[in-house]
Amino acid sequence: MSARCDGSTTSEDTGSGYLPIADHGVIGDLRTAAVIGIDGRIDWFCCPRFDSPSVFGSLLDAEKGGSWTVEQLDGDVTTRQFYLPDSNVLVTRFMSDDGVAEVQDLMPIARPHDPDHRTRIVRRFTCIRGDVRFRVRMSPRFDYGRAEHTLDLSGAGTLVFSTDGLDLHVASETEWEKVDDGDAETTFTLTTGECTTIVAAPEPISDDCYGHDSDPAVISATVAFWQQWISQSTYTGRWREMVHRSALTLKLLTHEPTGAVVSAVTTGLPEDIGGERNWDYRYVWIRDTAFTLYALLRLGFLDEAASFMEWLTCRFDNHADNDGDDDDAVDIGPLRLMYTLDGDPPPEETVLDHWEGYRGSSPVVIGNAAAGQLQLDIYGELVDSVYLYNKYGPGISYESWSQLCEVAGWLVDNWDQPDRSIWEVRSEPQDYVFSRLMSWVALERMIRMTRQRGLPGDIAGWMRARDEIFAQIMDRGWNDELGAFVQTLDSDRLDASLLLIPAVKLLAPTDDRFQSTLRAFEKDLVSDTLVFRYDTSDGHDGLDGSEGTFSLCTFWYVEALTRSGRLADARLALEKMFTHANHLGLYTEQIGLTGEQLGNLPQAFTHLSLISAAINLDRRLGD
């Protein structure tokens, strides 16, 4: 099948075996997630957690990655997808002259923090009209395709794929047969009103369990879970559908047992087709989660913020080791920039050289070497989010405040040094202005919290360092010739991260220096409202190749226009950006110059910045 721009497919041959990245939806159970193509294939699923090795991975190798495919056999078939309203239950519609059928895909969730929760994928097939014949094939490839498996077909309608350390149990009302490579296949016909369900789980599926999962009530219960959650949102303004889809996506990226939030559910999807900028985003970035906390707080979701605060408190108790990725060990500070869901360092970066990568984009990388980098900006994003939690939530505990004071003390002594900053470059550390900006934010917010709540703290020391940072940004972070703030001290390179200057209140949005910077960005980094994060043409970031426009930066641009009073321009830019969402309202990390989505999906950074941009612009536009 091939994709149409409206989010549908036809039975034409795709050629490469890869759907466009945008032609996917995601389901999940707050433990892990499955990525489902618009043709019904599950081509990415890690089990039992977001960061576990993949069971289905054809998203990164069409031949060797493994998949769970669904094919309507008769007629010229067109497919479309949508989420059931205000939920993460995905429906794929198969339409032909012979009939119309739907596949409802979900990972059941009964209630929040369910002690009896079990991870399962439920696929319910329903014939809406006519007669439809389906062929379903299960081709798991455990451990990123590195582990052999066996297949047990001994039970009627049941099968078990087994490998060392993990089994995949399948239950259905249909009969299966073994096919090549230890795969299993079933073919069945449904007439109007008939249904059948296939359930897969990493543990045995009892008859009672299967009966429950195959019952329509499990779909209703899961839809109700998501709808009840989103009903807590306080946002009632314009673009409610886009904002709530983004909120549901951020919730989907949350690991409920720990309160952590992963940055995406995939690894290795390219920022440039055929290029090397392919990273593993299935970890917990302090920066991304802090921004997520900010976005959810804006919508009134305090429970998620509290869960993250609890997770974060544990990280303070387990300070990062000085294990930088340079030959000379670097003090990476009291916090790492990223962790696993359990709060451990991510695994060493490894290349899966037996996989070709999405459309030949290699290397396919698991783990993330950036975990050993010093990135000073994370402290500003973190403290700013804690400040908002303290302001709009129940307030931080004394223990957390004491830990933050230690962080602030470390930052006072360490802000003025080279680092890798927000974009996690693979070149040598430099004196990034954005890192100075967010260090200023960290200390300024600590001062605010001390004064507002009467909390103890080294206000005098924080103020001295804050003012030194401000002076350095104004003196050496500003380029008179360009008329703009620049990426690193005393340089001439622009960086879209500095669009946040008015948002974090370093300067007023109407300040001449910021307005001049905004004009410089529009000249060199903005392409028809889409924004590049910086110029990659000379490889100064330590990587070859180019990349698309950065969706996070585009939403930051919308906010900068809003704060500058250019509301018509902001609204146009936001509406244009909405056209780059996929058919389900999901975003990846980047948008190519021809409008294709690039990078891992769904990208937390993009969705949280959408929420912030929409809320701020809606408020300025008024009723």
Side-chain angles (χ1 to χ4, degrees), residues 321-457:
D321 297 325
N322 296 337
D323 60 350
D325 54 359
D326 296 325
D327 292 336
D328 296 323
V330 174
D331 180 0
I332 62 176
L335 286 175
R336 291 182 176 275
L337 69 101
M338 78 176 80
Y339 297 86
T340 66
L341 297 168
D342 296 322
D344 298 323
E348 182 179 349
E349 195 167 279
T350 303
V351 174
L352 301 178
D353 53 13
H354 61 292
W355 276 2
E356 70 172 2
Y358 176 81
R359 290 175 56 188
S361 301
S362 62
V364 176
V365 173
I366 57 174
N368 201 308
Q373 292 182 357
L374 171 65
Q375 295 182 17
L376 291 164
D377 67 287
I378 66 171
Y379 298 101
E381 290 124 4
L382 170 66
V383 177
D384 195 31
S385 293
V386 173
Y387 164 75
L388 292 170
Y389 178 72
N390 189 62
K391 183 177 180 180
Y392 297 111
I396 63 173
S397 66
Y398 175 73
E399 180 184 6
S400 295
W401 174 253
S402 298
Q403 292 166 336
L404 280 180
C405 287
E406 291 184 23
V407 169
W410 181 88
L411 193 60
V412 165
D413 295 332
N414 289 276
W415 66 266
D416 192 15
Q417 62 175 306
D419 72 335
R420 263 60 174 261
S421 200
I422 184 173
W423 305 131
E424 299 176 0
V425 297
R426 297 300 175 102
S427 56
E428 291 299 309
Q430 298 184 62
D431 294 313
Y432 284 93
V433 174
F434 184 74
S435 293
R436 269 68 177 173
L437 172 65
M438 298 312 293
S439 295
W440 179 90
V441 168
L443 297 175
E444 198 274 339
R445 300 306 189 263
M446 290 294 291
I447 295 166
R448 284 196 193 188
M449 283 189 282
T450 300
R451 288 174 168 167
Q452 289 171 0
R453 286 195 56 191
L455 295 168

Side-chain angles (χ1 to χ4, degrees), residues 194-228:
E194 290 185 336
C195 303
T196 191
T197 303
I198 303 175
V199 181
E203 58 187 15
I205 304 170
S206 66
D207 290 340
D208 290 343
C209 174
Y210 172 70
H212 171 68
D213 287 337
S214 62
D215 192 303
V218 74
I219 299 175
S220 299
T222 302
V223 170
F225 170 88
W226 292 112
Q227 290 180 342
Q228 191 281 328

